[in-house]
Structures are given as C-alpha cells and as structure tokens.
Amino acid sequence: MIEIKNVSYAIGGAKILQDINTVIPKGSVTALIGPNGAGKSSLLNLIGRIEPLQTGTIDVDGQNVTTSHSGRLARTMAFLGQHTAVASRLRVSELVAFGRWPHCHGRPGPEDHEKVADAIAQFSLRGLADRFLDELSGGQAQRAHLAMTFAQDTPWVLLDEPLNNLDMAHSRILMRKLSDLRDAGKSVVIVVHDLNQAAAWADHLVAMKHGRVVVSGAPDEVLTPDWLSALYDTEVQVLRYADRPLVLSHV
Amino acid sequence: MSDTVIAPSQTQRRFPLWRNPILWLFLLLILSCAMWLFQGISGNYDFILMLRAKKLGALICVGAAVAVSTVIFQTVSANRILTPSIMGFDALYVMMQTLLVASLGVAGFAALASAPKFLLETGLMTGLALALFGTLLHRGARDIARMILTGVILGTLFRAGSGLLARLMDPNAYATVQSVSFANFARAQTDVLSIAAVVTALALAAAIWLGPRLDVLALGRERAISLGLPHARIVILALVLVAILVSVSTALVGPVAFFGLIVAGLAHMISNHMTGGARHRVLLPVSALVAITILVVGQTVFERLLGQQATLSVVIEFAGGLFFLWLLLKGKIR
C-alpha cells in the first residue's frame, strides 16, 4: 500500500497540496479524480519521486520514497507522466526496451527481451516497432510509452492521465489491461478525468480539490450527485448502469 | 504495416561489422595520423618524428576533449545547438587563467610546475562550472532560449573580465595570458601534454561508463528518474566531465567556439545513418574520431600544403559559424 502522511507542497508561493493524509490500497485500481488544478498530478509526481517532498512522508510498500535507493524503487513502481517528449531519436522497440533498465542496466538478457516483445504485442505496436517516435501520432506514441511502463513490470504502476490521446477503443483496452494487472496481484494508480472510466474500472477513488482530499472510498460512495456537484462546482447527475454509477455532466 | 512477429534480437539492435562506424573512422584516423607523421620526412628523423608526435598527441587530446564534452553537454541540456563553448565554458577557463597570472604574477605563475598548475586550473574550473551551470541545468533546462541567452551573457562577462584584468597587468604577464586566449592548433602547448593526456584518458573512460546512463538521461528527467537513474548525480558527473575536458582543450590550444558543434552534428548524422540510432556508446567514440581526423587532416593541409598561409582555427570557426546559423535558421533548436 501507499501511505501518504502530512504531505504539503508549494511551488513559489502557491500552495499546491495541503496536508494530504491518505492510504492507497494494494491490489486495486485507484483513480485520483477532481477538477483542474486540484493537485492530482502533483501528488502522483511526489509518489513517483519525480519531485522531492517538501513536508510529510510517502511510503510505497514500506519503502520511503525520499530515502530509499532510487534503483530499487524503480523495481517497485513505474511512473508515466504527461511530459513524454524524448530528446533523442528512438525507435519504438528501443523506447520499450528502456523499460527494462531498472532490471538489466543496459545489458538485457533473454527474460528482458521476452518482456519487451510482450509489451510491444500487448499494445498492438508490432507493426510500429521499427518506426521512430517522431513518426508516430500522439495516440501511438502514448501507447509506446505505456508499453515501456508495462515492460518495467513493477508491483505498482502510476499513470498520469494515460487516456490522453487515446481513442475509445484503445482507452477501453488500456483500462481492461489495468484491471488485468490488478487481477494479477499488482496495484495501479491513475489520474483520470473521465469519471465513467473511473466508475467502470476503479476499485478505489481519491477525490481532490484545492490541494486537499475531499473524499475517498469505493466508486459507489464517492460518485454521488452531492459529492460530485461539490467537487466540480457544477450540477452533476448520477444514474446507474450495469450496477455501476453512470455520471452525466455534459447536459 | 504487416503484423510481423518480433524476434527478441530486434529489441536490441545489432548491426554487422561493416556498418560499424567506429571501425571505419578508426582506419581513417590511422591513415591520417600516418600521413601527418611521415609525410615529406627527411633529415633528422628522430627529432622530426618526436616533434610531430607531440603535436599529434595534442591534436588527439583536443579533438577527443572537444567532441566528447560537446556530445555530453548536448545530451544533458537536451538540445543539439548548445555547446560548452557557446555557454561560455572556455571563456571561464581563460578568465580563471588570467586571474591566476594576475594574482601570482608572471614569476609566480611560471614557477608553478606545469602539471600541478594544470590540475589546479582544472579543479578550479570544475568547481566554478558546477556552481554556475549546475543550478541552471538541474531542472532539465527546458527553456532553451533562456539557456542560449544565459550562455551569451556569461561568455561576454568572462571575456570582458579577462580583458579588464589583461589591461591592468603588465605586458609580460599579458603575453603569458595571451597564448591561451586564442585558438592556435599549430602551436599547441605541449608542456602540459603528458598530464593533459592522462586527464583526458581518465575523463574519456568515465564518459564511456556514463554512456548508457546518458541514453536514459536523454529520455527526459521524468522518465530517467522513474527508471531509477540518480538524475541529479548523473547531471553533476556529466558537468564535471565537460568542465575537465574543456579545460584540457583550452589549455592545449585555446578556445574553439564552433568546432564541437560541427563534430557533434556529424557524429549524430553518422551514427543515425549507419546504426539507425544514437546510443552514446557509439556516439561518443564516433564524435571523438571525427574530431581528431578533421584536426589532423586539416593541420596537415594547412601546415604542409598551404605552408601556414592560413590557420586551421579560422577555417573551422568559419565553417562552424555557418553550421550554427544553418541550425538556427532551420529551426532545429529543441
């Protein structure tokens, strides 16, 4: 599990996160939801130790993200953020192979090749494996980065808005893969804006606003008209479909 | 696109020996070195060979140092238009040397043995470069326009600083400083050659070790950290290597502004073309070999064929300046 204790975070004078205390359960798909600027991405960045913590502590499976060896953390969690621009000219297969770096440090063995080939196949990138990243569409590049993150093969997977650039079909495929990961005993944390994706696939929701956790719990507890209307400052209706909440906010 | 099955080997690209650019460039380099050493040799063989070998050693050190420092710097700053020279690294070295002469006096400066003097300068240079550029690069240097501007300002500041000091000191001291203030391949400072060669060799070995880590670094700060690379430490180590290598080349022949830019550009082109990628384990040796070959061949042509009518540094700077403009105009800044 991920334990977040007394975490506050400020950039310049702006308070991004204020006194966050929450626990993200192991073996589940957790979605961070909330309006723009709620601090979801900042929280995920802090968990993924991309930015250093200012106050408070975060432990992932008992490993403190500030003091633990970064190489070992890279075998515990894989992080995919929103800044995926790569400076060097790489082929898709090379990018995905970098996902094995924490395990092989540039000297891949048979198992590494297998995991890479598997990740490429899973994200239907076989036909694109020899293409350069700058020759791909936004959605294809996003899939290549996701494949790299999967190739890292870690107990925890942290994804910041992974559905960006993906079409309906690939969005559903990705969410299904994430729930497959959960079924295989792994844990997933995603930042997601589409509440219906969260309703359909997540087990645990953490709703944030103005840098604080407003409410957290199972989708049925969080995705209610009252909570959502308060969260987004707009009227939201919630229906039920296939025994899951269905959020209506567009009309 | 056909949905072909991926062979495991495809994820780690191997290329046949004849496509290995390092091999070809190495052969070319051997040829040009032989030409440099033995062309038109007559009379006192030992003396001439010794003289030429010393110069060759200096050219090899300078070429390798300029090329490797530029490639590393471009990877760390995540763009292909900046070089340590454009950022004012060698101007910093010249200013520091001027400061040393000004504070110790010519006699004091000359009294220092060349090896400790060189090590002292390199050490100071590394500390200063880290203090100045470490903070600038730590966040991944996303704002390239600001980086270039900072470099131009720092470079001007350092040059003006050494200019001011030079005006304050007496002509004798000034003459001591002047020898390092302008690039001159024909009169390389061979007195520091042996220590420079050792330092360069150590720095190059460190650079080769750093190679795969630089590949990860090139994925961007976020991805590098999530893959467990100690990002801040690698950036600092890379900057230390850059500072050391710039010290070597500046001490030997003086500042060369645009040479690194050409060489790094060529190295990227060659390794992309021949190996279909830009791995640093290929890129670093290729850039060094290209740089040394250009220097050795160029110096042979200018010294033997043109009889010192023109100087290599001017031609290299001219070509490099044009290349820099071309990069700017083509919008290749990233």
Side-chain angles (χ1 to χ4, degrees), chain A residues 4-23:
Chain A
I4 302 165
K5 279 186 204 145
N6 308 322
V7 167
S8 298
Y9 191 69
I11 300 176
K15 290 178 177 166
I16 309 295
L17 295 175
Q18 298 182 53
D19 202 28
I20 303 273
N21 282 289
T22 193
V23 169

Side-chain angles (χ1 to χ4, degrees), chain A residues 50-51 79 87 113 127 152, chain B residues 1 11 139 221 223 226 334:
Chain A
I50 305 302
E51 302 298 335
F79 172 92
H113 291 304
Q152 206 172 328
Chain B
M1 276 287 161
T11 54
R139 290 278 133 182
R221 181 169 168 274
R223 304 250 66 184
S226 64
R334 286 206 297 181

Side-chain angles (χ1 to χ4, degrees), chain B residues 202-220:
Chain B
L202 289 176
L204 291 184
I208 290 296
W209 175 84
L210 206 59
R213 286 151 188 87
L214 289 173
D215 292 333
V216 177
L217 196 74
L219 295 176

Side-chain angles (χ1 to χ4, degrees), chain B residues 172-210:
Chain B
N172 279 333
Y174 182 62
T176 316
V177 170
Q178 208 184 17
S179 60
V180 291
S181 306
F182 303 99
N184 192 335
F185 293 104
R187 277 200 306 277
Q189 308 287 309
T190 43
D191 54 329
V192 290
L193 183 58
S194 46
I195 181 77
V198 172
V199 170
T200 311
L202 289 176
L204 291 184
I208 290 296
W209 175 84
L210 206 59

Side-chain angles (χ1 to χ4, degrees), chain A residues 45 48-52 70-71 74 77 79-83 85-91 93-95 97-99 101-102 108 113 116 120 126-127 129-132 145 148-149 152, chain B residues 1-13 75 78-80 139 142 212-213 215-216 218-223 225-230 233 272 275-279 281 334:
Chain A
N45 273 313
R49 65 170 172 342
I50 305 302
E51 302 298 335
S70 188
M77 59 180 171
F79 172 92
L80 177 61
Q82 293 183 59
H83 303 289
V86 170
S88 52
R89 195 169 154 80
L90 284 181
R91 290 171 202 274
S93 55
E94 291 175 299
L95 179 80
F98 272 115
W101 170 269
H113 291 304
V116 171
I120 288 175
R126 276 179 174 167
D130 275 339
R131 286 241 223 135
F132 285 104
H145 282 281
M148 172 186 162
T149 311
Q152 206 172 328
Chain B
M1 276 287 161
S2 64
D3 203 40
T4 47
V5 176
I6 303 239
S9 62
Q10 217 171 331
T11 54
Q12 186 192 29
R13 311 190 65 78
T75 299
N79 80 92
R80 297 266 296 279
R139 290 278 133 182
R142 293 194 191 105
R213 286 151 188 87
D215 292 333
V216 177
L219 295 176
R221 181 169 168 274
E222 245 183 46
R223 304 250 66 184
I225 292 178
S226 64
L227 289 176
L229 191 80
R233 237 184 298 161
N272 263 334
T275 68
R279 292 301 173 92
R281 281 266 161 97
R334 286 206 297 181

Side-chain angles (χ1 to χ4, degrees), chain B residues 69-273:
Chain B
S69 64
T70 307
V71 169
I72 293 179
F73 189 80
Q74 289 189 341
T75 299
V76 172
S77 61
N79 80 92
R80 297 266 296 279
I81 200 159
L82 292 183
T83 69
S85 314
I86 294 171
M87 294 301 292
F89 268 72
D90 42 13
L92 175 64
Y93 183 86
V94 170
M95 187 179 82
M96 217 184 48
Q97 183 129 36
T98 316
L99 260 175
L100 276 181
V101 176
S103 53
L104 296 176
V106 185
F109 191 68
L112 286 173
S114 58
K117 188 167 72 185
F118 177 76
L119 290 178
L120 174 71
E121 287 168 354
T122 307
L124 267 178
M125 163 81 181
T126 307
L128 276 174
L130 268 187
L132 279 170
F133 298 103
T135 45
L136 199 62
L137 282 170
H138 184 61
R139 290 278 133 182
R142 293 194 191 105
D143 191 350
I144 299 305
R146 200 178 69 177
M147 286 281 287
I148 295 183
L149 206 59
T150 315
V152 169
I153 290 170
L154 285 177
T156 313
L157 175 73
F158 300 148
R159 272 183 280 274
S162 28
L164 175 70
L165 284 168
R167 275 175 184 77
L168 293 175
M169 56 178 61
D170 69 279
N172 279 333
Y174 182 62
T176 316
V177 170
Q178 208 184 17
S179 60
V180 291
S181 306
F182 303 99
N184 192 335
F185 293 104
R187 277 200 306 277
Q189 308 287 309
T190 43
D191 54 329
V192 290
L193 183 58
S194 46
I195 181 77
V198 172
V199 170
T200 311
L202 289 176
L204 291 184
I208 290 296
W209 175 84
L210 206 59
R213 286 151 188 87
L214 289 173
D215 292 333
V216 177
L217 196 74
L219 295 176
R221 181 169 168 274
E222 245 183 46
R223 304 250 66 184
I225 292 178
S226 64
L227 289 176
L229 191 80
H231 185 267
R233 237 184 298 161
I234 295 290
V235 167
I236 287 175
L237 181 59
L239 275 181
V240 167
L241 285 183
V242 169
I244 291 174
L245 290 169
V246 170
S247 304
V248 168
S249 72
T250 317
L252 285 172
V253 298
V256 271
F258 291 117
F259 183 47
L261 193 71
I262 306 181
V263 171
L266 282 175
H268 274 283
M269 266 166 59
I270 291 173
S271 76
N272 263 334
H273 188 70

